[in-house]
Amino acid sequence: MDEEKQVSRRGFLSRTIWAIGGLITAGFGIPAIAYIIGPALQRDAAQNLIRLGAASKVELGIPTLFKVTVQRKTGWIVNEEELSIYVRTDDGRNFTAMSNVCTHLGCRVRWVADRKEFFCPCHNGVFDKDGNVISGPPPRPLNRYEVKVENGQLSIVGG
Amino acid sequence: MTRVANWLDERLAWRRVWEAIFLRRVPKVNWFYTLGSATLFVALNQIVTGILLTIYYVPTPDHAYDSVQYITTEVPAGWLIRGLHHWGASALIVLVVLHMLRVILGGAYKYPREITWMTGVVLLIVSLGFGFTGYLLPWDQKAYWATTVGTRIAGTAPVIGDSMLRILRGGEDLTAVTLARFFGVHVWILPVALLTLIGIHLYLVIRIGISAVPKRKE
């Protein structure tokens, strides 16, 4: 603003009105943006311990399927969701837990015992016993879960 | 900036529109003459916050209450948006009535402003309609029983009472049908009526100009 120029009464009032209008717009606009994008920013924060079952059920070297029901809250609706987890161990002490969701487009993979591979029927994705991609379109290995063993009971961390 | 404004003005003549709306000559009046603008401002608040609420609100008996709780407790600034809409609703009714009183006491409804007055009266009814339909939408106990009573009051009218009650409720009882139609009326029918009437009302205010404070001699 030019300091030499005298601010007229009219100019001052007009500027004040614009400033107040700007404040009101910001007062509505900022909460409105937070309100609209809010749920999109929330990650699944639930890092619960999900109990799978007895560790003794896992045969050495063979991925074993565990099915558990978890509660998942989307918005105001609580849904029961079934999680299927393959758990594998070579020594009965160290366990690997893998999701059965194909990393390509989300179909369910299954363990083919005689070929010792995970196979996804949708687009012929093939994973080895550790979930690494052998062939087909999947871009990365099967998702892993952190495993905890307590008193012979297997649990995974996640949601 | 000025060049863009000039370019647009050549084509849209927006400066004339701007002058007609905001640089009108007005008689020397008092603060009671701001009640109409105050009402308009609160109406804008209701429109903005109301549109935002529909982003999460679901008008069915199994989701209405939970979605309102979700807005209030979990969505960022949801409490603020809902609060503004809730309190704005009451403020709007108060302001509309005060605005009407000023018009009555100042005699501003007289020639040549009869149409402004008539659209204003319909706007008052539309505002009350907003209040009545909006009150049901949170679908809590207060909403349910207030609407039970409200629709039954309509039912006490002679001859047409029973059909009015049935039309309002969409059947014999207050059900999912009632909630859905109250929502539809609240977010579609009444807003269209409101905007149309405000358009006429404001056009007339600008075209005729506002009335002066009545003088002792007149």
Side-chain angles (χ1 to χ4, degrees), chain A residues 24 28 32 35, chain B residues 37-55 79-96 123 126-135 137-138 183 186-188 190-192 194-195 198:
Chain A
I24 293 173
F28 277 94
Y35 175 86
Chain B
S37 304
T39 310
L40 180 65
F41 177 78
V42 177
L44 287 174
N45 169 68
Q46 294 308 97
I47 292 168
V48 171
T49 55
I51 288 171
L52 287 171
L53 287 173
T54 62
I55 288 174
W79 59 272
L80 178 67
I81 306 292
R82 186 185 170 205
L84 281 170
H85 201 73
H86 174 98
W87 293 104
S90 300
L92 186 83
I93 302 293
V94 171
L95 286 168
V96 161
L123 276 166
V126 167
S127 304
L128 295 175
F130 269 115
F132 184 59
T133 51
Y135 210 73
L137 302 184
F183 179 72
H186 192 83
V187 305
W188 284 114
L190 291 176
V192 170
L194 183 89
L195 292 177
I198 287 181

Side-chain angles (χ1 to χ4, degrees), chain A residues 33-140:
Chain A
I33 291 166
Y35 175 86
I36 291 170
I37 67 170
L41 302 178
Q42 281 167 9
R43 293 262 166 257
D44 285 343
Q47 289 291 307
N48 299 323
L49 218 54
I50 301 166
R51 289 175 63 122
L52 295 181
S56 53
K57 270 170 68 184
V58 185
E59 291 178 55
L60 290 188
I62 300 170
T64 310
L65 187 64
F66 285 88
K67 289 191 173 180
V68 282
T69 329
V70 289
Q71 290 205 328
R72 178 158 292 171
K73 194 159 172 269
T74 46
W76 57 89
I77 300 170
V78 180
N79 278 320
E80 298 232 310
E81 213 172 87
E82 194 167 72
L83 276 185
S84 298
I85 312 285
Y86 276 103
V87 183
R88 203 178 70 78
T89 182
D90 284 324
D91 51 12
R93 277 193 301 277
N94 300 306
F95 293 88
T96 322
M98 288 164 281
S99 158
N100 76 332
V101 177
C102 182
T103 51
H104 178 219
L105 290 171
C107 293
R108 310 290 140 155
V109 301
R110 64 189 153 80
W111 174 250
V112 185
D114 39 322
R115 302 187 60 157
K116 296 204 182 339
E117 286 167 355
F118 286 105
F119 175 70
C120 178
C122 290
H123 304 95
N124 298 328
V126 181
F127 303 84
D128 71 8
K129 60 184 165 57
D130 291 312
N132 298 311
V133 183
I134 296 176
S135 68
R140 34 168 224 283

Side-chain angles (χ1 to χ4, degrees), chain B residues 9 12-24 206:
Chain B
D9 189 50
L12 301 173
W14 66 266
R15 284 204 177 96
R16 276 180 62 194
V17 177
W18 179 268
E19 280 164 22
I21 295 174
F22 293 109
L23 306 178
R24 284 176 282 133
I206 290 160

